[in-house]
Amino acid sequence: MARELLSVGWPGGPRSGIGTSLGRGGGRPASDGGVPGTRSGHAHACECGARAGAGGGLYVSALDLSDHIDRLAGLLAAEREEERARFAEGRARLSLAEREARGLALADVEAAEEGALAGRTLVTFARGGRPLPGGRIGAGSLVSVALRREVRDDAPTGVVARRTRTQMAVAFDEPPPEWATDGRVVLELEPSPVTWERLAAGLSRLRTDRAGRRWHGPLSGAPPRFLPRPRGPALEAALNGEQRAALDLADRAEDLALVHGPPGTGKTTVLVEVIRRAAARGEKVLAAAPSNLAVDNLVERLAAAGLSCVRVGHPARVLPAVLAHTLEARVADHEAARIAKGLVEEALALRRDARKRKARRGPGRFSEARAAERDARALLAEARALEARAEAEVLDRADVVLATLTSLDAPALAARRFALAVVDEATQAVEPATVLALLRAERAVLAGDHLQLPPTVLSAAAQAGGLGISLFERLALAHGDAVKVTLAEQHRMNAAIMAFPSAAVYGGALRAHPAVASRALDGAPLEVIDTAGRGFEEETPEGSDSKQNPGEADLAGAEAERLLALGVAPGEVAVIATYDAQVQRIRERLSAWLDRGLEVDTVDGFQGREKEAVIVSLVRSNDRGEVGFLADIRRMNVALTRARSKLVVIGDGATVSRHPFYERFFRHAQDVGAWRSAWERDASLAGGD
């Protein structure tokens, strides 16, 4: 939903060296992006830079870093306020049932169990064994406890420690009031201040700390510095020419190096080799990414390469295959941690005894209870000290420590420094988040693709001020090939699927590896189904900011079922819709297949992922030619590059082709014989008319 409120295109153009036609195509104002005055394309980005960056823009080779930090701090404040306002507005406008349907609340849950977690009260809520909704509430979420029909001044807040299909455990700093654990309550998702506090603190340290001052030159636009030769050692690795060049550049960097990885070109493969070399030199490496999924992918790849990895982050947010590498799992085997566990059990027993003493009659009961509480607190403090020692020793032994960017300021990593920081998917992180990684390292390698989805930014003011411009993008457009290598050989897509994104976005630079160039499910790897004149009109559901197209949803469902009938496994089929309301519509249409692995999601949900067969629903169909945030060409670049063997795109050519990018796409489909008419394709859907 967040991305539906933005219409920001690729801020590239001639200075980037590739994709100049996309800069022209993306420069048209979006007509209904949901944010008044927000525009897409190169012109918009350059305007933002000229307003926000000293010396004529964010992309120039030098800027006043102090002013830049001040501006970023202000943009973060605007973004935080926008998030808070949206929570408040949603709570005021939506009923409890609607909030629960959108994953923002859990109604009518009861305390099923009480315990402790590292000195905090842990309450497990459930709904009688039934599955819990509230899909946006997960481990690490901040939640409040409330009553359905009464507002309480003492409503507590806690952090979700873990979640299963039927239970949710919430940790409270102080024991919650009795009403919160006695009867049915409502859990509401709250905006968490932790992320914002960490980002703001990182900017402050960048300005004043010694670790921050080390980065003033590179972040102010000083020319990148590189050693004359790679640090080495040379390790056996199967890399193509561009990958070897990227590894060489990263290995010679004294400050920063960038690995530009278009879809399927193996940027993570390069990062693994960068880290292997550093570990072979005895260097400690920090690896991070904006999302848990990207971090877990790195853990799996590095562990397979034989490196000792420790994954910092809540186990509930980690893929099952990675759990054994988490800090918690490693610490559990440590002798100090086993002692700490015994101390915690002893402390809990003392607290139970204290409660019993309070309930008894007779003199001295309160003083005895207070003494038991003091002893319990002392034991818990001793346990925490032992756990901290165990954590430190586990981290000291690791070759690589991994975490999401906003987890880098977690207590376990306090004051830790690394020789090298590696950030994957760096183009999806706002600059202050990437700064958190830089502050912990002597040098850094950033990898990503600034021609795919940018960071998510909710606030129109923050977007206009440039918060959506990642540090990777800023440096890539300021220094070009002096600081980066662009990978070109992709190992994902059939050549027919790759052809248009390569030409329109990457200046024709991509090439398909022979192993994938001809891979196909049938004789038509690319099909574009034009619904023009078919009567499939877009709609805005009542009470929603999103859009749906029922006709397209039915057609997308029929196409998915056709692919499944060809024998494609459900887990290898995805339907991507450009609007959240359309996602929900298609999920209803294909509900019987969802439990068998078929996926339906927005473009954002598929960034960095791939499937054998992908169907894309463009949704927009109107007489005005409005395409909304489809004008953000980076979004469509992601959608068009997820499929390995089969890509089907469904859209109203008469509407979307009024935008130059889509006009080129539909013309390309006609030129290569991939264009189809919805009238011919789906006469059965129309009842034979």
Side-chain angles (χ1 to χ4, degrees):
M1 177 69 77
R3 289 198 184 276
E4 295 177 14
L5 299 171
L6 302 176
S7 298
V8 182
W10 168 60
R15 297 189 63 180
S16 70
I18 56 176
T20 55
S21 61
L22 177 58
R24 293 192 298 271
R28 173 173 295 195
S31 49
D32 69 339
V35 178
T38 302
R39 297 182 294 158
S40 64
H42 176 59
H44 166 69
C46 287
E47 270 190 15
C48 289
R51 288 196 305 270
L58 288 172
Y59 303 130
V60 297
S61 58
L63 54 75
D64 185 310
L65 187 61
S66 180
D67 287 348
H68 184 60
I69 293 172
D70 287 343
R71 185 178 56 80
L72 288 175
L75 298 178
L76 283 177
E79 182 72 355
R80 180 177 184 175
E81 177 58 26
E82 178 69 17
E83 182 190 63
R84 189 206 61 75
R86 291 192 184 197
F87 268 91
E89 189 271 339
R91 193 164 295 177
R93 180 170 61 90
L94 302 174
S95 67
L96 176 59
E98 289 171 326
R99 296 199 301 278
E100 185 171 79
R102 297 192 182 195
L104 301 172
L106 279 172
D108 299 327
V109 294
E110 296 180 276
E113 183 181 344
E114 292 186 52
L117 178 67
R120 295 170 175 82
T121 300
L122 189 70
V123 180
T124 300
F125 294 93
R127 195 183 271 176
R130 300 192 304 276
L132 297 177
R136 292 176 62 182
I137 306 176
S141 296
L142 183 69
V143 294
S144 61
V145 184
L147 295 173
R148 181 185 277 270
R149 294 181 178 83
E150 180 184 354
V151 177
R152 297 286 305 226
D153 293 335
D154 58 346
T157 60
V159 176
V160 177
R162 58 178 178 266
R163 175 171 181 165
T164 66
R165 194 171 66 91
T166 59
Q167 293 186 330
M168 182 176 295
V170 181
F172 299 91
D173 288 340
E174 299 293 336
E178 287 188 11
W179 62 263
T181 57
D182 184 20
R184 294 182 180 181
V185 295
V186 176
L187 300 183
E188 293 266 10
L189 182 64
E190 299 287 345
S192 173
V194 174
T195 294
W196 306 110
E197 290 167 357
R198 289 177 175 175
L199 294 177
L203 290 178
S204 178
R205 299 205 311 274
L206 176 61
R207 188 194 303 275
T208 60
D209 288 5
R210 180 179 178 183
R213 291 195 297 272
R214 182 261 172 276
W215 291 100
H216 283 194
L219 298 188
S220 296
R225 301 182 304 153
F226 295 92
L227 298 172
R229 289 179 297 277
R231 291 178 174 85
L235 302 174
E236 190 70 26
L239 302 177
N240 60 41
E242 293 91 3
Q243 289 173 329
R244 285 194 299 272
L247 175 59
D248 177 86
L249 188 76
D251 212 29
R252 291 190 296 111
E254 294 191 74
D255 300 309
L256 275 161
L258 309 181
V259 179
H260 177 203
T265 54
K267 64 176 173 56
T268 306
T269 297
V270 173
L271 295 186
V272 169
E273 294 308 312
V274 169
I275 294 170
R276 284 182 67 215
R277 281 195 180 185
R281 293 191 294 269
E283 294 180 341
K284 296 297 184 181
V285 181
L286 175 67
S291 70
N292 283 289
L293 186 62
V295 174
D296 289 347
N297 179 48
L298 272 174
V299 174
E300 290 184 301
R301 298 284 295 274
L302 291 167
L307 295 174
S308 172
C309 305
V310 174
R311 167 70 156 97
V312 176
H314 200 290
R317 291 198 169 193
V318 171
L319 291 175
V322 175
L323 281 172
H325 299 284
T326 60
L327 180 60
E328 283 77 3
R330 294 291 184 86
V331 166
D333 294 330
H334 196 283
E335 177 62 24
R338 286 195 288 269
I339 296 172
K341 182 179 179 182
L343 294 176
V344 169
E345 291 173 354
E346 188 178 347
L348 293 178
L350 283 171
R351 284 188 164 176
R352 287 193 295 270
D353 182 62
R355 284 197 293 270
K356 290 178 182 178
R357 289 177 184 276
K358 286 181 182 179
R360 295 177 191 156
R361 294 183 178 179
R365 57 192 175 111
F366 289 110
S367 60
E368 292 174 355
R370 284 194 294 270
E373 281 287 355
R374 282 196 302 272
D375 291 343
R377 284 195 295 271
L379 288 171
L380 290 172
E382 185 178 352
R384 284 195 290 271
L386 286 169
E387 289 171 349
R389 192 183 87 191
E391 287 180 349
E393 292 181 6
V394 167
L395 291 169
D396 287 342
R397 292 196 295 263
D399 295 324
V400 192
V401 176
L402 302 100
T404 60
L405 288 167
T406 52
S407 296
L408 294 180
D409 276 359
L413 296 180
R416 284 193 173 268
R417 298 279 298 166
F418 299 83
L420 172 67
V422 171
V423 181
D424 200 2
E425 303 295 356
T427 50
Q428 293 184 58
V430 294
E431 184 169 334
T434 305
V435 163
L436 294 178
L438 301 187
L439 289 170
R440 295 194 175 274
E442 295 303 314
R443 63 186 192 281
V445 176
L446 312 183
D449 182 8
H450 51 299
L451 306 183
Q452 295 187 61
L453 289 176
T456 298
V457 176
L458 303 178
S459 163
Q463 181 67 43
L467 187 59
I469 299 169
S470 67
L471 177 61
F472 182 108
E473 182 175 16
R474 180 163 76 83
L475 296 175
L477 297 178
H479 299 298
D481 292 341
V483 73
K484 70 177 173 65
V485 170
T486 298
L487 308 180
E489 184 172 81
Q490 62 87 17
H491 297 253
R492 175 185 299 163
M493 295 169 276
N494 179 291
I497 297 172
M498 177 200 73
F500 181 77
S502 177
V505 181
Y506 300 102
L510 298 188
R511 63 182 185 274
H513 188 276
V516 302
S518 301
R519 183 171 60 195
L521 296 175
D522 54 23
L526 172 66
E527 293 188 276
V528 179
I529 304 176
D530 192 343
T531 66
R534 185 65 184 78
F536 293 169
E537 296 295 318
E538 65 185 53
E539 301 174 356
T540 301
E542 185 177 354
S544 173
D545 299 321
S546 189
K547 295 190 181 297
Q548 64 183 22
N549 188 317
E552 265 193 31
D554 286 341
L555 184 53
E559 289 297 315
E561 290 167 343
R562 186 176 67 82
L563 291 171
L564 293 165
L566 292 176
V568 185
E572 285 297 336
V573 177
V575 183
I576 299 176
T578 53
Y579 284 82
D580 191 61
Q582 185 77 340
V583 167
Q584 302 307 321
R585 185 98 187 190
I586 297 173
R587 282 177 178 168
E588 292 173 7
R589 170 68 172 75
L590 293 170
S591 59
W593 292 98
L594 298 182
D595 287 340
R596 298 171 64 179
L598 185 145
E599 291 187 67
V600 183
D601 210 336
T602 60
V603 179
D604 304 60
F606 281 99
Q607 171 92 358
R609 304 180 61 208
E610 59 186 68
K611 293 284 186 177
E612 201 65 35
V614 173
I615 300 158
V616 179
S617 171
L618 300 181
V619 180
R620 301 312 300 265
S621 178
N622 55 73
D623 295 335
R624 304 171 300 283
E626 294 178 348
V627 299
F629 65 83
L630 292 185
D632 181 348
I633 304 309
R634 290 176 292 189
R635 168 169 277 99
M636 194 47 51
N637 182 33
V638 172
L640 297 180
T641 54
R642 301 304 98 194
R644 294 192 288 264
S645 302
K646 181 76 174 184
L647 173 65
V648 180
V649 180
I650 303 171
D652 184 343
T655 296
V656 300
S657 289
R658 299 194 201 181
H659 187 287
F661 178 84
Y662 297 96
E663 190 276 330
R664 290 178 61 199
F665 178 58
F666 275 74
R667 189 172 68 243
H668 168 82
Q670 291 176 327
D671 292 344
V672 301
W675 184 89
R676 311 282 187 266
S677 169
W679 287 98
E680 301 169 5
R681 187 67 163 212
D682 200 41
S684 62
L685 191 63
D689 58 349

